[in-house]
Amino acid sequence: MNEVKNIMIVGVGGQGALLASKTLGQVLLDAGYDVKVSEVHGMSQRGGSVVTYVRYGDKVYSPIVDKGEADFIVSFELLEAARYTEYLKAGGQIVVNTQKIDPMPVITGAAEYPADLEGTMTKAGLKVDAVDCLTLAEQAGTAKAVNIVLMGRLSRYMDFPEEAWLTAIEKLVKPQFLEMNKKAFKLGRGE
């Protein structure tokens, strides 16, 4: 049986969703899976909503995840996690950075940022692992490492050894940023 697993990486442009999806894709490829990673969809310039799909299994035919199919939603921001909950399958897991980034309607005063999104998602029966990834990234040495902190957190739920993730990071990250990103991964993983 060809069971395909589906992961959505959602966030705001400029946060590093592309490196996160490449890192995840590299781990899966190295493990021998057929992997499809979609391009970043949405307003990929800084501030716009972005979505990347990562699907893997013995054979994957399409890179797109439909509503109710995501095993995981990995989100760089609380509102983005809440926006895509209908894509999560029953029993799926949300891994979310607790950082709040105001969307344009909030910035212009046309709307307010919703209160207690984490609580709202939990009350709806969703499994939510909310972590202050920005603080952990800063502890690793740069706020830009939120993406790798999130991958560290996601790795707790996936059946791949830590070394597989670190190897993927080594393949994708420039040498001068490697140790910082490895530290970010470990902090996200909870080590």
Side-chain angles (χ1 to χ4, degrees):
M1 183 179 148
N2 180 31
E3 184 186 6
V4 174
K5 295 280 190 183
N6 303 298
I7 301 164
M8 291 179 66
I9 299 174
V10 301
V12 175
Q15 288 189 296
L18 190 58
L19 179 59
S21 61
K22 282 183 174 180
T23 302
L24 177 56
Q26 188 67 56
V27 169
L28 300 169
L29 281 171
D30 290 349
Y33 287 101
D34 183 25
V35 180
K36 298 284 187 280
V37 178
S38 74
E39 295 295 319
V40 173
H41 297 278
M43 303 285 286
S44 57
Q45 73 268 23
R46 186 169 294 281
S49 182
V50 295
V51 182
T52 304
Y53 306 110
V54 179
R55 303 186 73 221
Y56 70 100
D58 295 329
K59 185 68 184 145
V60 179
Y61 295 99
S62 165
I64 304 300
V65 177
D66 288 325
K67 291 178 181 175
E69 287 187 347
D71 295 280
F72 297 96
I73 293 176
V74 179
S75 181
F76 284 78
E77 200 271 341
L78 280 164
L79 186 57
E80 293 299 321
R83 185 175 294 180
Y84 290 99
T85 56
E86 65 190 341
Y87 284 85
L88 197 65
K89 70 168 41 171
Q93 177 70 50
I94 296 173
V95 176
V96 60
N97 177 16
T98 56
Q99 184 178 5
K100 295 176 184 175
I101 299 173
D102 290 341
M104 196 50 69
V106 173
I107 292 169
T108 62
E112 287 187 24
Y113 196 99
D116 193 24
L117 287 168
E118 183 182 342
T120 301
M121 289 186 287
T122 302
K123 285 179 194 141
L126 303 174
K127 294 192 299 186
V128 179
D129 183 0
V131 182
D132 183 353
C133 296
L134 179 59
T135 296
L136 294 175
E138 288 169 343
Q139 286 175 17
T142 178
K144 292 181 178 180
V146 164
N147 52 1
I148 301 299
V149 172
L150 275 167
M151 290 298 96
R153 199 65 180 190
L154 175 64
S155 75
R156 295 166 56 126
Y157 298 96
M158 298 184 78
D159 202 18
F160 301 102
E162 179 181 348
E163 201 51 49
W165 294 86
L166 294 173
T167 298
I169 291 167
E170 287 170 5
K171 289 179 179 178
L172 297 167
V173 173
K174 292 178 182 170
Q176 65 266 37
F177 303 117
L178 188 56
E179 288 312 310
M180 201 177 338
N181 279 278
K182 284 183 173 182
K183 184 175 181 183
F185 176 85
K186 288 175 182 280
L187 285 167
R189 195 169 165 94
E191 296 177 1

